Amino acid sequence: MRCSIGVDIGHTNIRAARVADGVPTEVRKERTDVPGGPESVLEQARRLIAELSGGDRLPVGVGIAGQCDSAQGVLRCGPGFWWPDMPFRDRLSAAVGAPVVLRNDVVMATVGEWKHGAGRGVDDLVCLFVGTGVGGGAVVGGRLLEGASGCGGHFGHVSVQMDGPVCSCGRRGCVEVYAGGSNVEKRARLALDGSVLKEMSGGRPGSITCSMVAEAAERGDESSLRIRDEMAAALSSGVASIINSLNPARVVLGGSVMFGFPELHSMVARGALEQCLRPAADKLTIERSALGDLAGTVGAATMALEFYG
Ligand SMILES: [Zn+2]
C-alpha cells in the first residue's frame, strides 16, 4: 500500500486527505482563509499535512484554484485573484519537509477521475467541474494536458456569447459568467422581484446562495428556472465546443453547483450531444463525477506518488 497526501485549495474550502492507493483514509475540510492571504493559506496547508502525515514523510500533491506555472511550482494567480506570483510549491515543501507537486485544482481533480473515478480506462478524457467558478482538465492520447505554460484546460473561459456579460478574466460571455456559482448568485440577486428567492432570503439579497436558487427552481420559481436554463445552455454550448476540439471518449461533469441542480447534468449532456459534430460523438459517453468533492485531493495525492512515490 502506497500512501500520500492530497490537498485541494478552493476559493471556499480547503480539503486535505491521506490517500492509500487512490482511497482516502482520513479527510479534513475547513474554510479557506482567503482574507488572510497567501501566507495564511500556506500555514493552513502545512498544518493539515502535518496532522495527516502523523510523523511520516509522505509525498504531497496540491491543487489550487488559480493558474500555476507547473514547471516552476509558482502560483501565478491564486484564490481571490490578488495573490502575487508566489513560489508556493517550494515554500510548502520546505515547511513540511517533504516533496510537493503543485497544479491547478481542477487539473488535479481530472487526474483523480482519470485514475480512480469516472474517467478510468480511457486515453481521451475531458472533465468539467462547476463550483464557485468553472474549471476543467483533459487527458489527450493518454497524457495529461498541461499546455506550454501549465495553463491548459481552463474551459470555464470558453466564450459562448461574444457580446455577453464581462467575465472575471476580462472577456465577454465565458461559460463561467453563466454557470459559475458566484455568478449564479449575482444573477439571482438582480432578479429578486417576484421571485420566491425574496421570501427564502428574508429579503436580504446578500444571503442568497446557489443551493437556494436550485431549491427555488425545484419549486417552479420562474426566475430561478431561467437562471438554471441559461446555465444549461452555456454549459452545453461550451462542452460541445470542447468535444469538437478534443474528440474525447468520455466527458465527466462534476462540481458542487453541477450536483446542486438535479436536472442540470442530463440537460447539459443532451444539449452537448445535440450540438457537437456527429463524428465527434461516435465513441463518446458523458458521465457524472464519481469522486465528487474528493476528486481534487485524490488526484493530487495520485500525482504526488507518480512524481515522488
Ligand atoms: Zn472568462
Side-chain angles (χ1 to χ4, degrees), residues 156-158 167-172 174-177:
H157 298 290
V158 168
C167 177
S168 62
C169 74
R171 294 181 74 206
R172 288 185 178 274
C174 292
V175 171
E176 181 167 300
V177 167

Side-chain angles (χ1 to χ4, degrees), residues 183-192 197 208 213 223 227:
N183 286 319
V184 167
E185 289 165 3
K186 271 187 214 157
R187 292 163 85 78
R189 285 168 194 151
L190 293 174
L192 215 52
L197 285 169
I208 289 177
V213 180
S223 65
I227 289 170

Side-chain angles (χ1 to χ4, degrees), residues 67-131:
Q67 288 134 39
C68 300
D69 179 333
S70 32
Q72 303 296 321
V74 171
L75 183 63
R76 301 290 300 278
C77 190
F81 302 106
W82 48 265
W83 289 11
D85 282 3
M86 183 189 192
F88 199 89
R89 180 193 66 193
D90 292 348
R91 289 277 313 276
L92 186 62
S93 179
V96 299
V100 174
V101 57
L102 178 76
R103 294 290 186 279
N104 169 266
D105 57 346
V106 187
V107 168
M108 288 302 200
T110 300
V111 173
E113 292 291 344
W114 181 33
K115 299 292 185 181
H116 300 286
R120 279 177 82 157
V122 299
D123 285 337
D124 292 280
L125 170 71
V126 164
C127 290
L128 194 78
F129 289 82
V130 186

Side-chain angles (χ1 to χ4, degrees), residues 183-264:
N183 286 319
V184 167
E185 289 165 3
K186 271 187 214 157
R187 292 163 85 78
R189 285 168 194 151
L190 293 174
L192 215 52
D193 283 340
S195 162
V196 302
L197 285 169
K198 196 162 190 170
E199 162 212 323
M200 288 170 72
S201 65
R204 287 176 292 117
S207 69
I208 289 177
T209 60
C210 250
S211 47
M212 275 187 204
V213 180
E215 191 190 328
E218 284 296 290
R219 286 166 58 178
D221 175 54
E222 267 185 39
S223 65
S224 300
L225 283 169
R226 196 163 50 244
I227 289 170
R228 183 203 63 185
D229 292 350
E230 282 180 2
M231 294 169 78
L235 287 162
S236 304
S237 179
V239 171
S241 295
I242 300 160
I243 292 169
N244 290 349
S245 307
L246 297 177
N247 189 197
R250 194 165 302 158
V251 172
V252 173
L253 303 174
S256 58
V257 172
M258 174 67 78
F259 288 130
F261 289 81
E263 286 156 52
L264 194 54

